[in-house]
């Protein structure tokens, strides 16, 4: 049993190293400028539909979800010199535009899509999704 425990402890750092390599490789094929930063703990679904400006930071534990991933045009446009704060959550329905010099604080939510809740007897997980909304945030805004 001791050998099993020792092997498990020695495999653990290798496992975490492999996860970090996989996360890092996810950014290699994207159009992220070299002057911008995306945290390794950020979860981005649909990275190829995102345009990120220069000197932009996407902080730790940010979650970005692009709903229409079959569409190959940019659904989320983040301008230059923006900061997306820790644990921000952005869900993109049709389009979200974030202007230059915009800062999103910690736990900020941009919800472009929501579940249709007209029928109270239908569970929201299988309800229709209203996904035709657009969000546009101007230049030099703080959320």
């Amino acid at each position: 049993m001791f050998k099993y425990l020792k092997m498990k402890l020695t495999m653990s750092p290798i496992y975490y190293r492999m996860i970090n390599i996989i996360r890092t490789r996810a950014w290699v094929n994207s159009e992220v400028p070299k002057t911008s930063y995306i945290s390794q703990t950020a979860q981005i679904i649909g990275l190829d539909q995102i345009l990120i400006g220069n000197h932009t930071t996407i902080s730790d534990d940010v979650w970005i979800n692009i709903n229409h991933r079959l569409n190959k045009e940019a659904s989320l446009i983040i301008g230059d010199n923006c900061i997306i704060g820790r644990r921000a959550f952005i869900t993109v329905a049709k389009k979200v535009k974030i202007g230059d010099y915009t800062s999103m604080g910690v736990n900020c939510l941009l919800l472009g899509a929501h579940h249709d809740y007209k029928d109270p007897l239908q569970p929201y997980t299988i309800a229709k999704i209203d996904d035709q909304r657009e969000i546009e945030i101007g230049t030099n805004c703080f959320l």
Side-chain angles (χ1 to χ4, degrees), residues 21-141:
I21 289 169
I22 291 168
R23 285 183 180 161
T24 306
R25 286 184 183 161
W27 314 125
V28 172
N29 296 327
S30 65
E31 298 293 326
V32 178
K34 290 183 179 181
T35 58
S36 294
Y37 170 76
I38 299 177
S39 171
Q40 287 189 354
T41 61
Q43 297 179 8
I44 301 176
I45 301 170
L47 185 64
D48 54 339
Q49 280 109 2
I50 300 174
L51 289 177
I52 299 174
N54 293 312
H55 306 287
T56 293
T57 299
I58 297 179
S59 301
D60 294 337
D61 302 321
V62 169
W63 185 354
I64 298 174
N65 183 25
I66 309 294
N67 285 351
H68 297 289
R69 289 183 289 279
L70 297 177
N71 189 0
K72 291 302 175 189
E73 63 186 47
S75 298
L76 174 61
I77 302 168
I78 303 173
D80 296 333
N81 302 297
C82 292
I83 298 172
I84 310 298
R86 293 188 71 177
R87 295 184 304 275
F89 179 75
I90 302 172
T91 177
V92 180
K94 195 170 183 181
K95 189 166 286 239
V96 173
K97 294 180 185 177
I98 300 173
D100 297 338
Y101 299 97
T102 295
S103 294
M104 291 176 60
V106 176
N107 295 324
C108 187
L109 307 174
L110 294 180
L111 304 175
H114 69 86
H115 295 272
D116 185 8
Y117 52 87
K118 292 178 184 171
D119 183 4
L121 300 176
Q122 186 177 27
Y124 75 92
T125 55
I126 60 170
K128 183 180 174 185
I129 296 176
D130 178 14
D131 59 357
Q132 296 303 313
R133 296 178 181 213
E134 292 188 18
I135 298 173
E136 185 167 351
I137 299 169
T139 302
N140 200 23
C141 294

